[in-house]
Amino acid sequence: MKKWIRWSGLAVFVLVVGLLLGFWFLFIDGIVEHVIEDQGTRLVGAKVELDAADLSLIPAGLTLTGLQVTSPEKPMTNAVEIRRVAMSLDGSNLLRRKVIVEELTAEGVRLGTPREKSGAIADRAKEDGDDSAEAQRTMFTMPSFEIPDAKQILANEDLETLKLINELKADVEGARETWGQRLKELPGKDTFDKYQVRIEKLKGATKGGVAGALGGLSEAQSIKDDVQRDIAALKNAKGNLEEKLGSLKTRLERVKKAPQADLRRLQEKYSLSPRGLANLSETLLGQVIGDWARQGAAWYDRLKPVLEHAKQAGARSGGPEVVKPLRAGGVDVRFKESKPQPDFLIRRAKVSLELDVGNIGGTIENVTPDQPVLGEPLTFAFSGEELKDLRSVSLRGVLNHIDPAMPSDRVNLQAVGYRIKDLQVSTQEAWPVTVTKGVADLKVRAGIQGESLTAKISSNLNSLDISAGRHDESNRLTKALSSAIGGVRALDVEADVIGTLENYDVRIRSGLDKVLEQAAGRLVKNLSADLQKDLSTAISSKVDGPLKDLTQDFGGLQAINSDLAKRLTQGNDVLGGLLKQSVAPKALPKELPKELPKELPGGFKLPF
């Protein structure tokens, strides 16, 4: 009779199976726990910790307890903490090295919980978005409500008037020095007095007979030529000087108008205006909305590694493709499948969020980094009703990365009856503003198409109680603004966020602008008028002295012009006197006539 069982072989088989089962029960859970923590930490960039993992074969499943995911930006805070995660696995696909989670249940999901120890990792590099996020934190700056002092303004500002005065003063002094020297070189009173002496001597020329008369005519012509030459030199100099004076006078007129230009410039720079308060609501509300935008961008960044695996791996956008392996080189080949499945997929996840406002439940479908393979986008829907400080909330969205080169993501959020408590709108010392209580309805529609971000936020605020300003406030303007905003009981706010995740702009519209403008408008006008008066006085005291000195210097240059005019008058008088003398001013002809007239031209009588 043959033996159907070889006991030695059976013993070896039992031993091997026993060792495998022993290894499984003793070590497999620890290995799974280690892999999840290690891979999760590498993916998130901060510590991922797990209390326990339980992997089962029949049925195939995995249960995780005490999962903590540290926030990379805040190492002492958990971005997500989950009490228990249970999932059922597709056993047949596990043999093909595919992790397909048919259904996942996450219980006790909490956000932003504190940690006992820091979850930072030593070698974590600073993320590229950190600088951008920090820049967004400082993009909204409150205006200064301090009423500026005119003297302090002038101590910090350079007046264009003084600059023009100094430049013109230097040119006037240079011109006065140049023309003072040139005046010494031009004919003056002494020169023309000498001409007069020469003319007087001509009167005795008649006693010298014909020779004396002819000599007198020659001397008269010489005097005339000399006087006319000097008059021409004076006329030319006076013309040049007047041209220079014209240019300097034009600049002087500019200097006289410059104080008003300085006044307007400084008033526009340092004065508040009712219209200038129009962007104050954007500054106030922009800080809150900017925080929301940053938080949304941070969560989206956390999802990127899950959504963009296909993009990083080469974007298999056309579904699975058959890769021709290279000879003599090992490669992973994805063969064509009749029903393509990604390497990792959570078909459906049920999540229970434990938030401060209460518990919110929802589902997430098609969680995979290989959307191009699956051909379906990730979708999620969460909702809750009759929560603490919130009547109802609904969050729905689609993250479509089927085409990794052009992702298309959409999120819609609607919150009704959110009760606001002690919401700090502005923490700046100049003007702190807090919404102590109120009720808000909020709608948010956001989308990312490629790299472009667009979001529209609309909110209706009612039953508001707003605290603004400090109790010891002495500034009249902030008092007026605090009183105005403290009286607001209802407000509609609309905001648009446009740009990219790294660089976006927030534009806000609300009825708060009109409230602030009307309340503070008259006071702002009065303050601006006071500043204008003080600035005008301060500018005058600073420029009047230099302007007076400039005018005196200019007067010295005009005195030179007057001196030239006097010299010209004296020269013309000398020339006119010469022409009236008995000696003819015109030169005698080259050849005298045979019979001379009794009287020569000019009234000179011959002595015979």
mmCIF file of all heavy atoms in Angstrom, residues 201-245:
data_model
loop_
_atom_site.group_PDB
_atom_site.id
_atom_site.type_symbol
_atom_site.label_atom_id
_atom_site.label_comp_id
_atom_site.label_asym_id
_atom_site.label_seq_id
_atom_site.Cartn_x
_atom_site.Cartn_y
_atom_site.Cartn_z
ATOM 1 N N LYS A 201 37.494 171.156 -28.335
ATOM 2 C CA LYS A 201 38.691 171.641 -29.006
ATOM 3 C C LYS A 201 38.433 171.949 -30.479
ATOM 4 O O LYS A 201 39.160 172.736 -31.094
ATOM 5 C CB LYS A 201 39.812 170.608 -28.902
ATOM 6 C CG LYS A 201 40.367 170.449 -27.492
ATOM 7 C CD LYS A 201 41.497 169.436 -27.473
ATOM 8 C CE LYS A 201 42.084 169.287 -26.074
ATOM 9 N NZ LYS A 201 43.179 168.302 -26.064
ATOM 10 N N LEU A 202 37.429 171.324 -31.071
ATOM 11 C CA LEU A 202 37.122 171.553 -32.477
ATOM 12 C C LEU A 202 36.616 172.981 -32.731
ATOM 13 O O LEU A 202 36.643 173.457 -33.855
ATOM 14 C CB LEU A 202 36.072 170.552 -32.975
ATOM 15 C CG LEU A 202 36.544 169.094 -33.100
ATOM 16 C CD1 LEU A 202 35.396 168.223 -33.564
ATOM 17 C CD2 LEU A 202 37.694 169.002 -34.082
ATOM 18 N N LYS A 203 36.086 173.578 -31.667
ATOM 19 C CA LYS A 203 35.540 174.922 -31.850
ATOM 20 C C LYS A 203 36.635 175.921 -32.279
ATOM 21 O O LYS A 203 36.354 176.940 -32.904
ATOM 22 C CB LYS A 203 34.895 175.409 -30.562
ATOM 23 C CG LYS A 203 33.667 174.609 -30.179
ATOM 24 C CD LYS A 203 33.056 175.146 -28.903
ATOM 25 C CE LYS A 203 31.822 174.359 -28.510
ATOM 26 N NZ LYS A 203 31.242 174.882 -27.258
ATOM 27 N N GLY A 204 37.860 175.655 -31.924
ATOM 28 C CA GLY A 204 38.931 176.569 -32.311
ATOM 29 C C GLY A 204 39.549 176.220 -33.649
ATOM 30 O O GLY A 204 40.537 176.827 -34.052
ATOM 31 N N ALA A 205 39.007 175.259 -34.314
ATOM 32 C CA ALA A 205 39.583 174.850 -35.589
ATOM 33 C C ALA A 205 39.427 175.916 -36.667
ATOM 34 O O ALA A 205 40.190 175.972 -37.627
ATOM 35 C CB ALA A 205 38.936 173.536 -36.047
ATOM 36 N N THR A 206 38.476 176.849 -36.528
ATOM 37 C CA THR A 206 38.225 177.876 -37.555
ATOM 38 C C THR A 206 39.349 178.902 -37.616
ATOM 39 O O THR A 206 39.505 179.615 -38.604
ATOM 40 C CB THR A 206 36.919 178.612 -37.266
ATOM 41 O OG1 THR A 206 36.946 179.125 -35.931
ATOM 42 C CG2 THR A 206 35.743 177.650 -37.395
ATOM 43 N N LYS A 207 40.130 179.007 -36.540
ATOM 44 C CA LYS A 207 41.205 179.998 -36.515
ATOM 45 C C LYS A 207 42.437 179.510 -37.272
ATOM 46 O O LYS A 207 43.390 180.235 -37.416
ATOM 47 C CB LYS A 207 41.592 180.290 -35.063
ATOM 48 C CG LYS A 207 40.441 180.880 -34.249
ATOM 49 C CD LYS A 207 40.856 181.130 -32.817
ATOM 50 C CE LYS A 207 39.714 181.709 -32.004
ATOM 51 N NZ LYS A 207 40.096 181.974 -30.614
ATOM 52 N N GLY A 208 42.405 178.341 -37.744
ATOM 53 C CA GLY A 208 43.573 177.812 -38.437
ATOM 54 C C GLY A 208 43.474 177.876 -39.936
ATOM 55 O O GLY A 208 44.250 177.212 -40.617
ATOM 56 N N GLY A 209 42.567 178.684 -40.478
ATOM 57 C CA GLY A 209 42.423 178.791 -41.922
ATOM 58 C C GLY A 209 41.884 177.500 -42.508
ATOM 59 O O GLY A 209 41.254 176.679 -41.834
ATOM 60 N N VAL A 210 42.153 177.386 -43.836
ATOM 61 C CA VAL A 210 41.647 176.192 -44.534
ATOM 62 C C VAL A 210 42.252 174.935 -43.946
ATOM 63 O O VAL A 210 41.575 173.928 -43.739
ATOM 64 C CB VAL A 210 41.975 176.284 -46.044
ATOM 65 C CG1 VAL A 210 41.552 175.006 -46.739
ATOM 66 C CG2 VAL A 210 41.275 177.474 -46.647
ATOM 67 N N ALA A 211 43.506 175.003 -43.626
ATOM 68 C CA ALA A 211 44.164 173.822 -43.051
ATOM 69 C C ALA A 211 43.537 173.453 -41.725
ATOM 70 O O ALA A 211 43.315 172.274 -41.412
ATOM 71 C CB ALA A 211 45.657 174.100 -42.881
ATOM 72 N N GLY A 212 43.218 174.456 -40.931
ATOM 73 C CA GLY A 212 42.575 174.176 -39.638
ATOM 74 C C GLY A 212 41.183 173.583 -39.813
ATOM 75 O O GLY A 212 40.777 172.682 -39.088
ATOM 76 N N ALA A 213 40.455 174.159 -40.819
ATOM 77 C CA ALA A 213 39.109 173.624 -41.065
ATOM 78 C C ALA A 213 39.160 172.175 -41.505
ATOM 79 O O ALA A 213 38.376 171.326 -41.070
ATOM 80 C CB ALA A 213 38.415 174.488 -42.127
ATOM 81 N N LEU A 214 40.074 171.911 -42.433
ATOM 82 C CA LEU A 214 40.188 170.529 -42.902
ATOM 83 C C LEU A 214 40.617 169.594 -41.773
ATOM 84 O O LEU A 214 40.134 168.457 -41.655
ATOM 85 C CB LEU A 214 41.183 170.467 -44.045
ATOM 86 C CG LEU A 214 40.774 171.205 -45.329
ATOM 87 C CD1 LEU A 214 41.869 171.107 -46.367
ATOM 88 C CD2 LEU A 214 39.472 170.648 -45.882
ATOM 89 N N GLY A 215 41.471 170.065 -40.920
ATOM 90 C CA GLY A 215 41.890 169.253 -39.767
ATOM 91 C C GLY A 215 40.741 169.008 -38.812
ATOM 92 O O GLY A 215 40.605 167.942 -38.220
ATOM 93 N N GLY A 216 39.885 170.027 -38.615
ATOM 94 C CA GLY A 216 38.725 169.869 -37.742
ATOM 95 C C GLY A 216 37.764 168.831 -38.280
ATOM 96 O O GLY A 216 37.184 168.037 -37.531
ATOM 97 N N LEU A 217 37.576 168.867 -39.613
ATOM 98 C CA LEU A 217 36.691 167.844 -40.205
ATOM 99 C C LEU A 217 37.233 166.446 -39.971
ATOM 100 O O LEU A 217 36.500 165.509 -39.670
ATOM 101 C CB LEU A 217 36.535 168.114 -41.697
ATOM 102 C CG LEU A 217 35.708 169.345 -42.088
ATOM 103 C CD1 LEU A 217 35.761 169.531 -43.590
ATOM 104 C CD2 LEU A 217 34.280 169.183 -41.625
ATOM 105 N N SER A 218 38.500 166.257 -40.123
ATOM 106 C CA SER A 218 39.117 164.946 -39.911
ATOM 107 C C SER A 218 38.968 164.494 -38.460
ATOM 108 O O SER A 218 38.654 163.331 -38.185
ATOM 109 C CB SER A 218 40.593 165.006 -40.301
ATOM 110 O OG SER A 218 41.214 163.773 -40.053
ATOM 111 N N GLU A 219 39.143 165.449 -37.529
ATOM 112 C CA GLU A 219 39.001 165.100 -36.095
ATOM 113 C C GLU A 219 37.558 164.766 -35.745
ATOM 114 O O GLU A 219 37.278 163.838 -34.974
ATOM 115 C CB GLU A 219 39.478 166.285 -35.251
ATOM 116 C CG GLU A 219 39.321 166.085 -33.735
ATOM 117 C CD GLU A 219 40.173 164.964 -33.187
ATOM 118 O OE1 GLU A 219 41.074 164.457 -33.901
ATOM 119 O OE2 GLU A 219 39.939 164.530 -32.026
ATOM 120 N N ALA A 220 36.617 165.512 -36.345
ATOM 121 C CA ALA A 220 35.191 165.241 -36.096
ATOM 122 C C ALA A 220 34.820 163.834 -36.566
ATOM 123 O O ALA A 220 34.077 163.101 -35.910
ATOM 124 C CB ALA A 220 34.335 166.289 -36.795
ATOM 125 N N GLN A 221 35.348 163.472 -37.746
ATOM 126 C CA GLN A 221 35.055 162.125 -38.264
ATOM 127 C C GLN A 221 35.626 161.065 -37.335
ATOM 128 O O GLN A 221 34.991 160.038 -37.064
ATOM 129 C CB GLN A 221 35.656 161.982 -39.658
ATOM 130 C CG GLN A 221 35.327 160.645 -40.340
ATOM 131 C CD GLN A 221 33.865 160.506 -40.651
ATOM 132 O OE1 GLN A 221 33.248 161.457 -41.144
ATOM 133 N NE2 GLN A 221 33.296 159.342 -40.329
ATOM 134 N N SER A 222 36.816 161.298 -36.823
ATOM 135 C CA SER A 222 37.452 160.333 -35.922
ATOM 136 C C SER A 222 36.656 160.180 -34.628
ATOM 137 O O SER A 222 36.439 159.056 -34.135
ATOM 138 C CB SER A 222 38.882 160.764 -35.621
ATOM 139 O OG SER A 222 39.481 159.895 -34.679
ATOM 140 N N ILE A 223 36.205 161.355 -34.089
ATOM 141 C CA ILE A 223 35.404 161.296 -32.848
ATOM 142 C C ILE A 223 34.102 160.529 -33.087
ATOM 143 O O ILE A 223 33.668 159.709 -32.286
ATOM 144 C CB ILE A 223 35.121 162.721 -32.334
ATOM 145 C CG1 ILE A 223 36.436 163.396 -31.909
ATOM 146 C CG2 ILE A 223 34.133 162.674 -31.162
ATOM 147 C CD1 ILE A 223 36.284 164.855 -31.534
ATOM 148 N N LYS A 224 33.482 160.864 -34.237
ATOM 149 C CA LYS A 224 32.224 160.198 -34.558
ATOM 150 C C LYS A 224 32.419 158.687 -34.624
ATOM 151 O O LYS A 224 31.630 157.914 -34.075
ATOM 152 C CB LYS A 224 31.691 160.724 -35.882
ATOM 153 C CG LYS A 224 30.424 160.010 -36.347
ATOM 154 C CD LYS A 224 30.064 160.393 -37.747
ATOM 155 C CE LYS A 224 28.914 159.524 -38.254
ATOM 156 N NZ LYS A 224 28.658 159.726 -39.680
ATOM 157 N N ASP A 225 33.452 158.215 -35.335
ATOM 158 C CA ASP A 225 33.698 156.787 -35.462
ATOM 159 C C ASP A 225 33.930 156.139 -34.103
ATOM 160 O O ASP A 225 33.421 155.040 -33.810
ATOM 161 C CB ASP A 225 34.892 156.539 -36.371
ATOM 162 C CG ASP A 225 34.614 156.918 -37.818
ATOM 163 O OD1 ASP A 225 33.411 157.033 -38.165
ATOM 164 O OD2 ASP A 225 35.566 157.081 -38.579
ATOM 165 N N ASP A 226 34.703 156.823 -33.261
ATOM 166 C CA ASP A 226 35.004 156.272 -31.934
ATOM 167 C C ASP A 226 33.739 156.155 -31.077
ATOM 168 O O ASP A 226 33.498 155.140 -30.405
ATOM 169 C CB ASP A 226 36.037 157.131 -31.223
ATOM 170 C CG ASP A 226 37.416 157.043 -31.880
ATOM 171 O OD1 ASP A 226 37.617 156.077 -32.659
ATOM 172 O OD2 ASP A 226 38.260 157.912 -31.614
ATOM 173 N N VAL A 227 32.930 157.218 -31.088
ATOM 174 C CA VAL A 227 31.704 157.222 -30.280
ATOM 175 C C VAL A 227 30.746 156.144 -30.767
ATOM 176 O O VAL A 227 30.141 155.395 -29.989
ATOM 177 C CB VAL A 227 31.040 158.611 -30.306
ATOM 178 C CG1 VAL A 227 29.666 158.560 -29.619
ATOM 179 C CG2 VAL A 227 31.925 159.632 -29.611
ATOM 180 N N GLN A 228 30.575 156.051 -32.089
ATOM 181 C CA GLN A 228 29.657 155.049 -32.631
ATOM 182 C C GLN A 228 30.138 153.627 -32.316
ATOM 183 O O GLN A 228 29.340 152.727 -32.048
ATOM 184 C CB GLN A 228 29.509 155.227 -34.139
ATOM 185 C CG GLN A 228 28.677 156.447 -34.532
ATOM 186 C CD GLN A 228 28.541 156.600 -36.025
ATOM 187 O OE1 GLN A 228 29.420 156.167 -36.794
ATOM 188 N NE2 GLN A 228 27.487 157.269 -36.461
ATOM 189 N N ARG A 229 31.434 153.392 -32.329
ATOM 190 C CA ARG A 229 31.967 152.083 -32.001
ATOM 191 C C ARG A 229 31.666 151.731 -30.541
ATOM 192 O O ARG A 229 31.264 150.610 -30.220
ATOM 193 C CB ARG A 229 33.469 152.047 -32.253
ATOM 194 C CG ARG A 229 34.097 150.674 -31.958
ATOM 195 C CD ARG A 229 35.575 150.647 -32.293
ATOM 196 N NE ARG A 229 36.323 151.593 -31.466
ATOM 197 C CZ ARG A 229 36.842 152.722 -31.929
ATOM 198 N NH1 ARG A 229 36.721 153.063 -33.213
ATOM 199 N NH2 ARG A 229 37.501 153.527 -31.121
ATOM 200 N N ASP A 230 31.860 152.722 -29.664
ATOM 201 C CA ASP A 230 31.586 152.469 -28.239
ATOM 202 C C ASP A 230 30.089 152.275 -27.988
ATOM 203 O O ASP A 230 29.692 151.425 -27.170
ATOM 204 C CB ASP A 230 32.097 153.634 -27.397
ATOM 205 C CG ASP A 230 33.623 153.659 -27.336
ATOM 206 O OD1 ASP A 230 34.242 152.618 -27.670
ATOM 207 O OD2 ASP A 230 34.197 154.689 -26.958
ATOM 208 N N ILE A 231 29.268 153.057 -28.701
ATOM 209 C CA ILE A 231 27.811 152.884 -28.554
ATOM 210 C C ILE A 231 27.393 151.500 -29.025
ATOM 211 O O ILE A 231 26.566 150.817 -28.405
ATOM 212 C CB ILE A 231 27.060 153.983 -29.330
ATOM 213 C CG1 ILE A 231 27.240 155.349 -28.633
ATOM 214 C CG2 ILE A 231 25.586 153.643 -29.462
ATOM 215 C CD1 ILE A 231 26.632 156.508 -29.399
ATOM 216 N N ALA A 232 27.977 151.027 -30.123
ATOM 217 C CA ALA A 232 27.652 149.681 -30.634
ATOM 218 C C ALA A 232 28.055 148.607 -29.626
ATOM 219 O O ALA A 232 27.325 147.627 -29.417
ATOM 220 C CB ALA A 232 28.356 149.458 -31.968
ATOM 221 N N ALA A 233 29.222 148.793 -28.996
ATOM 222 C CA ALA A 233 29.664 147.825 -27.993
ATOM 223 C C ALA A 233 28.702 147.795 -26.806
ATOM 224 O O ALA A 233 28.359 146.721 -26.281
ATOM 225 C CB ALA A 233 31.082 148.149 -27.521
ATOM 226 N N LEU A 234 28.249 149.008 -26.393
ATOM 227 C CA LEU A 234 27.307 149.073 -25.277
ATOM 228 C C LEU A 234 25.951 148.453 -25.638
ATOM 229 O O LEU A 234 25.337 147.754 -24.846
ATOM 230 C CB LEU A 234 27.113 150.521 -24.828
ATOM 231 C CG LEU A 234 28.318 151.162 -24.125
ATOM 232 C CD1 LEU A 234 28.097 152.652 -23.939
ATOM 233 C CD2 LEU A 234 28.542 150.487 -22.768
ATOM 234 N N LYS A 235 25.497 148.742 -26.879
ATOM 235 C CA LYS A 235 24.226 148.172 -27.326
ATOM 236 C C LYS A 235 24.299 146.646 -27.370
ATOM 237 O O LYS A 235 23.369 145.946 -26.957
ATOM 238 C CB LYS A 235 23.855 148.718 -28.701
ATOM 239 C CG LYS A 235 23.295 150.125 -28.693
ATOM 240 C CD LYS A 235 22.885 150.541 -30.098
ATOM 241 C CE LYS A 235 22.252 151.940 -30.103
ATOM 242 N NZ LYS A 235 21.852 152.346 -31.471
ATOM 243 N N ASN A 236 25.395 146.113 -27.887
ATOM 244 C CA ASN A 236 25.559 144.663 -27.970
ATOM 245 C C ASN A 236 25.583 144.036 -26.575
ATOM 246 O O ASN A 236 24.932 143.016 -26.323
ATOM 247 C CB ASN A 236 26.839 144.326 -28.718
ATOM 248 C CG ASN A 236 27.041 142.832 -28.872
ATOM 249 O OD1 ASN A 236 26.251 142.148 -29.502
ATOM 250 N ND2 ASN A 236 28.111 142.322 -28.263
ATOM 251 N N ALA A 237 26.333 144.673 -25.648
ATOM 252 C CA ALA A 237 26.402 144.169 -24.284
ATOM 253 C C ALA A 237 25.040 144.231 -23.605
ATOM 254 O O ALA A 237 24.614 143.277 -22.931
ATOM 255 C CB ALA A 237 27.432 144.969 -23.489
ATOM 256 N N LYS A 238 24.345 145.361 -23.803
ATOM 257 C CA LYS A 238 23.037 145.513 -23.175
ATOM 258 C C LYS A 238 22.044 144.487 -23.729
ATOM 259 O O LYS A 238 21.218 143.918 -23.012
ATOM 260 C CB LYS A 238 22.499 146.922 -23.397
ATOM 261 C CG LYS A 238 21.266 147.261 -22.541
ATOM 262 C CD LYS A 238 20.909 148.717 -22.673
ATOM 263 C CE LYS A 238 19.791 149.084 -21.705
ATOM 264 N NZ LYS A 238 18.573 148.307 -21.907
ATOM 265 N N GLY A 239 22.122 144.201 -25.030
ATOM 266 C CA GLY A 239 21.243 143.190 -25.618
ATOM 267 C C GLY A 239 21.508 141.810 -25.036
ATOM 268 O O GLY A 239 20.569 141.061 -24.708
ATOM 269 N N ASN A 240 22.783 141.458 -24.905
ATOM 270 C CA ASN A 240 23.120 140.170 -24.313
ATOM 271 C C ASN A 240 22.662 140.068 -22.861
ATOM 272 O O ASN A 240 22.148 139.032 -22.421
ATOM 273 C CB ASN A 240 24.626 139.932 -24.385
ATOM 274 C CG ASN A 240 25.114 139.743 -25.813
ATOM 275 O OD1 ASN A 240 24.335 139.375 -26.701
ATOM 276 N ND2 ASN A 240 26.393 140.003 -26.057
ATOM 277 N N LEU A 241 22.860 141.154 -22.124
ATOM 278 C CA LEU A 241 22.464 141.163 -20.723
ATOM 279 C C LEU A 241 20.946 141.046 -20.576
ATOM 280 O O LEU A 241 20.439 140.330 -19.715
ATOM 281 C CB LEU A 241 22.979 142.420 -20.027
ATOM 282 C CG LEU A 241 22.617 142.554 -18.536
ATOM 283 C CD1 LEU A 241 23.099 141.333 -17.754
ATOM 284 C CD2 LEU A 241 23.207 143.830 -17.948
ATOM 285 N N GLU A 242 20.211 141.775 -21.422
ATOM 286 C CA GLU A 242 18.755 141.716 -21.349
ATOM 287 C C GLU A 242 18.232 140.321 -21.718
ATOM 288 O O GLU A 242 17.230 139.852 -21.166
ATOM 289 C CB GLU A 242 18.140 142.783 -22.253
ATOM 290 C CG GLU A 242 18.308 144.193 -21.693
ATOM 291 C CD GLU A 242 17.686 145.246 -22.590
ATOM 292 O OE1 GLU A 242 17.400 144.920 -23.761
ATOM 293 O OE2 GLU A 242 17.502 146.382 -22.120
ATOM 294 N N GLU A 243 18.921 139.667 -22.665
ATOM 295 C CA GLU A 243 18.538 138.296 -23.005
ATOM 296 C C GLU A 243 18.754 137.366 -21.804
ATOM 297 O O GLU A 243 17.918 136.514 -21.496
ATOM 298 C CB GLU A 243 19.353 137.809 -24.200
ATOM 299 C CG GLU A 243 18.982 136.412 -24.668
ATOM 300 C CD GLU A 243 19.792 135.967 -25.867
ATOM 301 O OE1 GLU A 243 20.542 136.798 -26.430
ATOM 302 O OE2 GLU A 243 19.688 134.779 -26.248
ATOM 303 N N LYS A 244 19.886 137.545 -21.125
ATOM 304 C CA LYS A 244 20.170 136.759 -19.933
ATOM 305 C C LYS A 244 19.172 137.066 -18.835
ATOM 306 O O LYS A 244 18.659 136.158 -18.152
ATOM 307 C CB LYS A 244 21.600 137.055 -19.461
ATOM 308 C CG LYS A 244 22.041 136.259 -18.235
ATOM 309 C CD LYS A 244 22.167 134.789 -18.554
ATOM 310 C CE LYS A 244 22.737 134.027 -17.372
ATOM 311 N NZ LYS A 244 22.835 132.576 -17.647
ATOM 312 N N LEU A 245 18.859 138.375 -18.681
ATOM 313 C CA LEU A 245 17.890 138.768 -17.662
ATOM 314 C C LEU A 245 16.512 138.179 -17.943
ATOM 315 O O LEU A 245 15.799 137.778 -17.018
ATOM 316 C CB LEU A 245 17.791 140.296 -17.595
ATOM 317 C CG LEU A 245 18.877 141.013 -16.798
ATOM 318 C CD1 LEU A 245 18.782 142.512 -16.994
ATOM 319 C CD2 LEU A 245 18.768 140.658 -15.321
#
